[in-house]
Amino acid sequence: MPWLLSSQVEHLSSSPSQRQCERTSFSFYCAVREQLPVWLLEDMRSMEVFSWEDGRPRTFLPSEALLYALVHDHQSYARFLLSEYLVSSLRPLRCSFCCCHGSTAPHFTVAVRYNRVSILGMMLEALKDCPVQDFLDNRGGCSHAADAGKTAVQLAVELSRPDCLLLLLVHGAPPSGLDAALQRLVSSDITDRRSAQRCLDFLLLFLPEPPAMCCLQDESHRWQSLLGNDVFSWLCGLAPPPLLLQALRCLARCGPDQITALPDFLQLHTWQ
């Protein structure tokens, strides 16, 4: 990506024109970081001095600008890019290391990694008339990407991002990563446990039928204390799902606000 500059610029650059592109690219990155107005950022982006590709400069793509907006939580710029360029602002990018075009766009995993819930919601809304599943099933594209091989849902579970996870699941992302969610719950300390618990709860709400995890019975006392007896028995295949869980599974499919607006005594962490 163009922000790979600093001490590596002289090593990577081969001409004064390319070095100038790299410097102006970094200037654009700083402008987004400083939350400059949208009109000014678009004027900067449209100048043909930012990115060097195949021996010539080219304009900075909306999809590249959206990544910067995600990293620095520039919500107004992200909203503009998504409304003006729609799906093209989420297209795959060329890898800076191997110069190949990634098969998938990293925007959703970047949104999860930086916990950009508002911009994630904007991206999902922008795809409402498109085959959103193609984006939600993505596994990171080029192997050089930081989160290559992971879907946005898997990363949300791994990093305990419950708000991002709920948005993804409500919009049709496959509810994968149950094993990882259980391990995350077990390994998290007291400060992170609530977020890990919420991630597990959301997965359970959207799983069509969880696999019978008889291995939990090997440490039954530990898992019963973490999950509650009803959920523990359900995951082990020993009992049907709790009635409250069944009711919430229906409610969850109506939208994330339906779950987060519940009174505290009905929140998911109180199943047990």
Side-chain angles (χ1 to χ4, degrees):
M1 289 301 297
W3 57 71
L4 183 65
L5 296 170
S6 61
S7 62
Q8 298 176 326
V9 171
E10 288 72 22
H11 175 71
L12 295 177
S13 302
S14 57
S15 70
S17 296
Q18 186 173 350
R19 288 195 294 272
Q20 178 62 28
C21 280
E22 289 165 343
R23 283 193 292 270
T24 51
S25 173
F26 185 65
S27 297
F28 179 66
Y29 174 79
C30 292
V32 179
R33 182 185 63 192
E34 296 301 317
Q35 304 272 317
L36 295 185
V38 170
W39 67 267
L40 180 57
L41 294 175
E42 275 299 279
D43 278 353
M44 294 177 68
R45 188 190 65 79
S46 61
M47 296 170 62
E48 294 189 5
V49 293
F50 285 120
S51 186
W52 189 262
E53 185 174 293
D54 298 329
R56 64 181 186 276
R58 64 164 174 81
T59 56
F60 223 57
L61 298 175
S63 54
E64 294 167 323
L66 182 57
L67 277 181
Y68 287 172
L70 275 165
V71 169
H72 297 300
D73 201 23
H74 198 324
Q75 296 181 24
S76 58
Y77 192 33
R79 185 178 295 106
F80 170 83
L81 292 167
L82 289 163
S83 62
E84 186 72 15
Y85 301 102
L86 301 175
V87 178
S88 65
S89 63
L90 294 167
R91 68 175 51 172
L93 305 173
R94 171 170 288 199
C95 175
S96 300
F97 294 97
C98 62
C99 296
C100 70
H101 284 285
S103 59
T104 59
H107 299 82
F108 284 92
T109 52
V110 170
V112 171
R113 177 160 289 282
Y114 287 90
N115 204 26
R116 305 306 190 206
V117 180
S118 295
I119 300 179
L120 177 60
M122 296 177 202
M123 293 193 297
L124 291 165
E125 181 65 21
L127 294 172
K128 64 182 179 181
D129 298 322
C130 305
V132 65
Q133 206 67 35
D134 294 343
F135 291 87
L136 297 179
D137 288 341
N138 285 345
R139 291 182 174 271
C142 181
S143 60
H144 293 103
D147 299 309
K150 299 174 184 175
T151 66
V153 165
Q154 290 170 332
L155 190 63
V157 171
E158 179 183 307
L159 299 178
S160 294
R161 302 277 195 257
D163 295 328
C164 291
L165 179 60
L166 182 57
L167 265 176
L168 292 164
L169 294 173
V170 164
H171 286 84
S176 57
L178 180 58
D179 286 336
L182 289 167
Q183 291 307 313
R184 178 72 174 146
L185 180 62
V186 139
S187 61
S188 60
D189 58 31
I190 193 66
T191 57
D192 296 329
R193 184 158 297 166
R194 181 181 172 90
S195 293
Q197 178 72 62
R198 290 184 68 212
C199 285
L200 174 61
D201 290 342
F202 290 149
L203 282 180
L204 295 179
L205 287 181
F206 287 87
L207 279 172
E209 284 298 332
M213 306 188 71
C214 300
C215 59
L216 299 181
Q217 297 182 59
D218 295 339
E219 297 181 86
S220 58
H221 180 72
R222 181 186 204 182
W223 287 111
Q224 281 177 314
S225 66
L226 286 171
L227 301 172
N229 187 61
D230 290 343
V231 174
F232 169 79
S233 298
W234 176 50
L235 289 178
C236 290
L238 303 175
L243 289 176
L244 178 57
L245 173 59
Q246 294 185 60
L248 290 176
R249 281 160 71 91
C250 296
L251 189 61
R253 287 159 176 76
C254 299
D257 292 342
Q258 301 297 318
I259 292 296
T260 55
L262 288 172
D264 189 67
F265 71 92
L266 283 178
Q267 289 293 331
L268 305 179
H269 62 274
T270 59
W271 285 350
Q272 56 263 41

